[in-house]
Amino acid sequence: VLGNMQDPQYFEAVVKQFPTAHVEYLGFVDTVTLGRILGNSRALLVTPKWIEAFGNVAVEALACGCPVIAYKRGGPQEIVEEGKSGLIVPADDVDALVSAIGRVQSIDRSECRRRAEAEYSQAAMGDRVLAWFHLVLAHASVATSTPLAPPSSLQP
């Protein structure tokens, strides 16, 4: 278990309930360690109780070639391509989560990395911002009836 522990008493109760399970709380780790852990993990489980706007941890996992199994809640459901870079299950459905864990080996880890590079790399994000600026300039040009063009350094 990585990251912030919201409810230490709940965590301890679950650990005591399953004494033979190997559960370890690592807290926050540095980027290199996180990459190593994710790259060697069978999958990342993302089970938020509230709606997360984006879900950086899902992108970080995909970048490490780690499939994501996530509740259908918030940003992670938009990041994961069902059946390609991970699996999406109904929110709070533990049985569906367990079932997905059993199916995760069908996910091609290289597809996870491809998804991260294609959609969330610096180049991909830069391309989207540039396209947005072009759209803004085009709308400004129409609104003012004065042609506006991007600087010549941004022209293809």
Side-chain angles (χ1 to χ4, degrees), residues 72-86:
K72 189 174 184 172
R73 179 182 285 143
Q77 68 180 325
E78 296 176 20
I79 294 167
V80 175
E81 280 183 290
E82 174 65 31
K84 291 185 179 181
S85 61

Side-chain angles (χ1 to χ4, degrees), residues 18-95:
F18 300 96
T20 60
H22 175 74
V23 180
E24 185 178 1
Y25 174 64
L26 300 177
F28 287 98
V29 296
D30 62 75
T31 303
V32 172
T33 303
L34 178 63
R36 183 180 45 76
I37 291 169
L38 290 172
N40 289 312
S41 295
R42 187 172 301 163
L44 173 72
L45 303 181
V46 182
T47 58
K49 287 292 186 186
W50 58 89
I51 295 176
E52 293 188 38
F54 184 65
N56 282 337
V57 69
V59 174
E60 291 168 339
L62 295 178
C64 295
C66 180
V68 175
I69 301 172
Y71 280 162
K72 189 174 184 172
R73 179 182 285 143
Q77 68 180 325
E78 296 176 20
I79 294 167
V80 175
E81 280 183 290
E82 174 65 31
K84 291 185 179 181
S85 61
L87 301 164
I88 302 295
V89 300
D92 304 317
D93 187 337
V94 175
D95 290 335

Side-chain angles (χ1 to χ4, degrees), residues 79-113:
I79 294 167
V80 175
E81 280 183 290
E82 174 65 31
K84 291 185 179 181
S85 61
L87 301 164
I88 302 295
V89 300
D92 304 317
D93 187 337
V94 175
D95 290 335
L97 188 66
V98 170
S99 175
I101 292 169
R103 298 188 325 270
V104 75
Q105 74 278 0
S106 67
I107 303 297
D108 179 352
R109 296 177 75 90
S110 64
E111 181 61 23
C112 298
R113 175 66 185 188

